[in-house]
Amino acid sequence: MLLSAQMYSWRLLEWEARNHVPSGTIIKALVAGGEKGPWMRFMRGEMTAEGFLQAFGTQCSEMIKSPVPVGSFFSLLTSGQVAKQFSVMTEAINRIRAEGLKTAVLSNNFYLPSGESFLPLDRKQFDVVVESCLEGICKPDPRIYKMCLQRLQVEPAESVFLDDLAHNLKAAAQLGIHTIKVNDAESALKELEIFLGFSLRKIIPNTCSVRKTMEIPRDSLEKYLKNFLGSQAAVSGPLEVLQFSHGQSNPTYSIRLANHHLVLRKKPPGKLLPSAHAVEREFRIMKALRDAGVPVPKVLDLCEDSSVIGTPFYLMEYCPGQVYKEASLPGLEPSQRKAVYTAMNQVLCQLHSVDVKAAGLEDYGKHGDYVQRQVQTWTKQYRATETSTIPAMERLIEWLPQHLPKAQKATVVHGDFRLDNLIFHPEKAEVLAILDWELSTLGDPLCDVASNCMAHYLPSDFPLIKGLSDLDITQLGIPTAEEYFKMYCHQMEIPAAENWNFYMAFSFFRVAAILQGVYKRSLRGQSSSAAAEQSGKLAESMSNLAWDFAVKEGFRIFKGLPTPRLSTRAYGVWASRRPPLLPDGTRSLATASKAAAPKGVLIISPEALSEPVRDLHHRLERFIETHVYPIEQDLRNHQMSEARWTPAPQIEKLKEKAKSEGLWNLFLPVETDPERKYGAGLTNLEYAHLCELMGKSLYAPEIFNCSAPDTGNMELLVRYGTEQQKARWLLPLLDGRIRSCFAMTEPQVASSDATNIESSIREERGGYVVNGHKWWISGILDPRCQLCVFMGKTDPRAPRHQQQSVLLVPMDTPGIKVIRPLSVYGLEDPPGGHGEVLFENVRVPKDHLVLGPGRGFEIAQGRLGPGRIHHCMRLIGYSERTLALMKERVKSRVAFGKPLVEQGTILADIAKSRADIDQARLLVLKAAHLMDVAGNKAAALDIAMIKMVAPTMALRVIDRAIQAFGAAGLNNDSPLAQFFSWARALRLADGPDEVHRSTVAKMELKR
């Protein structure tokens, strides 16, 4: 019950009096006719607004024997005067959701004249919205309650339903749902609070009920507080304890006793790392800084007696104000945002200007070598909480000590200075308090500035810190990271540091180490944040960002050095953990640039790619992690739904985003498109690294317009198409406006031998007539598929490899009949699918023939040029993602008294999978490299080998993961089942294993 029925009744009575309509007429008309009356039909969506007003007007007029202005009544019904949500209910919903519970609204509503449904509520408040006009059923029909429960995925006994109408409540109660009658909002909320067991009003911002693992002994705390406050706590009252959701390290609580509002901050429970979570230091620094004029909360008492609540803690005054959780500052004007960032910068300068000696903080930390000690400290902390190997962290642990700043100023540093650790005045851009001093010490102030700028390099949908990297911050009024740094340097009257990228690399490295610690504690139930379990994946993301900055710093150093002589060896492995030595004896992370990279260098790791391609790789990786992985389950569900043969809207939306970010048409090799008219101009080796990334998600290749069969067809058109054919088919395909398919395989013959193809292409009356029976035509069922690249015989009497031709057949040509969709292990792979199709007297213009008669076999081989190993590249991605999922799974499951990750067979499988993947990857990269330097023909042996190796390798890796997942590995909740079916299919679709083995053996015997 979210809207005021009483308000509606008052307004309706006023309206009837004002329009000289007898009191109660409208209510009588609404219920007249029952289920078949205009009102009920309108709410079930069976009538338009226009139809309803006409029928309802007639009904009202007949009742009172005079015209009734129902249009005016409808305007009142939908006006903001009536449709206003109870503020207490809004507050209650927010509190319920903060506790992790789901909310839903069941609305008997209707369509507006615009065609939109009328629901004057913020839909974002609810996990599920059920509207009668959309579903065709109204309360109290039991079906609408069942529908809501099903979408919430809860049982009736697990839910509570509030309404003001007895018949609606009765229907819900009969299903076993707990019900509350809403006579007035306040009374209903009291009853709901009793049912839920927590308060729904007077919310303290950013708080929730204390999580079970973070409970503290309340009796002993209350006794301590009354003793500490003395006569001030004479007025007895209940102790109210809530937990702040902000922060993941030291648990922080809101404490209310009588008229006192305090904040308690404590060490987390359990075994802790040495020197970590030192609340004693926090107490000391905050007390000293407040005396020095820095805005911090007033600390009251430090209790080091662990017997009170289990760990040491301190108390401070609660500081009311505004905490901005999002760096983009939604809801503010550009000028206000600029003022907030300026105020934040100023208070950081104020902190760094504190006289350490005068503040009594000379011994608060060691003087000098701060960054070196920090790198050592966080390396040690990371090693102590390591749960699996993170490659970027390994590289950073080696790189950071080699690139330490030479000169470091020592000031008080916060250690985690960022926007959401500040409390602002609610009405102006003034910092009232700096929070969270756990990492504070004496050190290099530029570390604080870099930490403060991290949000600039994170996307706006990043789980922990909503960043700015994908937003137009200039339009928002927010300074760029460079502008913010210059602002700081100007106020501090210091020159800008050249090694800014080092500080950013260190900042992200440190956060990655912190997140790893949070993740390790979450496995033990020690972490204070509900989101802590996400931190394991985020630690890797943050370390990758850190490495991005390390690479940039490496290039800055490299540009200032004499150009080193490049190695002349055939295979330069520059991507090892130890970069090549420079003339001065130091090691740089700089690799050859795009222009300088010789084709003779085999690049086995993305870090050794040229700077533009490496940047492309990192952006592609972030895009997939940020935008693709989170929607995969929705996409899998879509493929199982009734709407599966229509494209998923999420994919279409992400295509536009990928296109706008320059992550589009990456597949066309530079050898095919040397002028870069159509693609990114990458080598096969460069694209192999990108293709592996896309292979980690079955949906990613399409999002970047790099999916088969379109890639092969586009390459065919680039290589062999006429300008007319390119204009009609290539450009729309490159733009992603249409899809295509390739018709070759036939059910009557062994199509692995292309010369067996029987379908005919017969020249007749200035065109061609196509007849044939094809199957396994991937993509032909997609409604966007407008082109079929058809292979058939034009001259059966010609030499064996000159009988076939390739024809471009528009899909709207008469005579194309889809017999059925084919499934792979029961998976139909919609919306493109795989079709069995008849071509009966399909007439195509003569200029649709590609290259000329009898050139089909040549074209088919050319079409499979660079595209020959795209599937192999993606299979490496399948396998890497599979192994990552397996590792995550076995760390979280326990069997026979110990975690799966400690079982010997699991460890053996992980080791085998790692070796299998790395071996296959090296073979893929070698094949791609040979295609670049020697051509496809010279690389035939390596191409055949990887086609033979990659699918079977992937099957082994996926099978091990499925075994580790148990039954969960067989269903639709992960990509494993689809990965397995695709890997198995590719042992045929990409050419049978037997053919590849035969090719390898014959070539080997000739050597």
Side-chain angles (χ1 to χ4, degrees), residues 19 72 131 181 197 223-224 268 339 380 383 448 451 468 481 527 574 739 747 787 845 867 954:
N19 288 278
S72 171
E131 302 175 75
K181 178 76 180 293
K223 181 179 178 182
Y224 166 84
K380 186 177 180 181
R383 291 299 189 204
D448 269 352
S451 176
L468 302 167
S527 179
W574 289 6
R739 299 298 305 273
L787 170 65

Side-chain angles (χ1 to χ4, degrees), residues 899-917:
L900 286 180
V901 74
E902 296 178 15
Q903 306 283 356
T905 56
I906 295 292
L907 293 172
D909 281 349
I910 290 173
K912 290 175 187 175
S913 293
R914 170 46 59 210
D916 285 348
I917 294 168

Side-chain angles (χ1 to χ4, degrees), residues 239-354:
L239 176 68
E240 181 185 286
V241 181
L242 296 171
Q243 186 172 358
F244 284 98
S245 57
H246 190 53
Q248 297 194 0
S249 190
N250 288 338
T252 310
Y253 303 83
S254 166
I255 306 293
R256 279 186 169 178
L257 181 63
N259 61 337
H260 299 280
H261 192 181
L262 310 173
V263 173
L264 182 151
R265 190 162 163 87
K266 67 185 284 291
K267 289 189 177 185
K271 185 179 178 181
L272 302 174
L273 296 172
S275 76
H277 311 282
V279 294
E280 302 87 353
R281 284 175 56 83
E282 289 187 39
F283 181 84
R284 178 189 173 188
I285 189 71
M286 291 172 71
K287 190 174 188 304
L289 290 177
R290 186 174 178 86
D291 293 340
V294 177
V296 294
K298 182 180 180 181
V299 290
L300 302 174
D301 190 44
L302 170 66
C303 177
E304 298 181 88
D305 182 357
S306 296
S307 67
V308 178
I309 61 170
T311 67
F313 66 92
Y314 67 92
L315 294 172
M316 53 186 157
E317 289 184 350
Y318 174 72
C319 180
Q322 175 74 47
V323 176
Y324 295 111
K325 301 296 284 292
E326 297 185 34
S328 61
L329 300 173
L332 298 188
E333 295 296 324
S335 60
Q336 294 174 310
R337 294 190 184 100
K338 183 177 181 180
V340 166
Y341 272 80
T342 300
M344 176 167 62
N345 197 293
Q346 289 171 344
V347 81
L348 181 58
C349 293
Q350 184 181 357
L351 170 64
H352 291 165
S353 300
V354 168

